[in-house]
Amino acid sequence: MNSKFRNSGQSKIHDVFVEKLGRAMDAELVLGHGSEPSTTQGPLINNRAAEKVLRGGRRLDGSFVQPTLLTAVSTDMICTREETFGPLLPVIRFDTEEEALAIANASNALEVGMVGVNEGLLSTPEATFGGVKQSGLGREGSKYGVDEYLEVKYMCFGGLKP
């Protein structure tokens, strides 16, 4: 289940994969308050975010949304074209490697701040973290994390004598 969730959806294994993934999600993902030790999933940022994510999952109080596994997903669905920012996992079935590559390569047109190539867990303290456009301006982490808070100033001192 690491980072949505390191596996593929090819037709031969699709049904078994989706079944195992659904069972793992049910067993390991616990929705709740962050102060509870068993909690793995907290609320979304606000009610509007919860409404955007709701695609068959169960919504609890406020902006809590149960992690949701979507099947029968096509590439024209909004969840394949926009960042969701919530516990929504769409799985796209494919039959050939060429079809899988075409689906994956279509995502190259996305404007994003971070990309993981053959890696689902790309956050690390030494790398910058952040998005683009309304996905989150600015960066945090690494030596570039404070750049958004700094103003570069040029100062020229003339007439100084040693």
Side-chain angles (χ1 to χ4, degrees):
M1 284 194 340
N2 291 335
S3 199
K4 296 187 184 178
F5 299 122
R6 298 184 198 237
N7 206 323
S8 4
Q10 54 264 57
S11 254
K12 293 178 190 172
I13 66 165
H14 176 272
D15 295 342
V16 172
F17 171 72
V18 167
E19 180 188 339
K20 287 182 178 182
L21 178 58
R23 282 198 316 261
M25 288 172 66
D26 289 342
E28 297 178 33
L29 301 178
V30 178
L31 192 62
H33 192 280
S35 65
E36 296 294 325
S38 63
T39 295
T40 62
Q41 304 289 304
L44 299 181
I45 193 165
N46 57 34
N47 286 332
R48 195 174 77 201
E51 290 163 10
K52 180 180 179 185
V53 172
L54 203 54
R55 299 282 187 277
R58 195 165 50 101
R59 183 167 176 189
L60 305 177
D61 292 333
S63 58
F64 284 88
V65 176
Q66 190 71 33
T68 304
L69 174 60
L70 284 183
T71 58
V73 174
S74 65
T75 57
D76 62 339
M77 296 173 77
I78 197 166
C79 64
T80 66
R81 292 180 282 122
E82 292 182 6
E83 290 181 280
T84 304
F85 295 107
L88 180 68
L89 173 59
V91 176
I92 301 173
R93 181 189 296 259
F94 59 86
D95 293 310
T96 66
E97 184 176 336
E98 291 75 23
E99 186 181 358
L101 287 170
I103 293 167
N105 287 335
S107 67
N108 288 338
L110 295 176
E111 294 179 342
V112 297
M114 301 172 68
V115 175
V117 178
N118 294 328
E119 182 62 54
L121 301 171
L122 61 146
S123 297
T124 179
E126 58 274 5
T128 57
F129 180 90
V132 297
K133 294 187 175 181
Q134 293 189 19
S135 177
L137 297 175
R139 297 284 177 266
E140 62 184 71
S142 87
K143 67 179 185 177
Y144 303 106
V146 297
D147 283 356
E148 299 295 320
Y149 304 98
L150 302 175
E151 291 290 332
V152 175
K153 185 181 284 190
Y154 171 71
M155 297 177 71
C156 177
F157 294 91
L160 299 176
K161 297 181 181 172

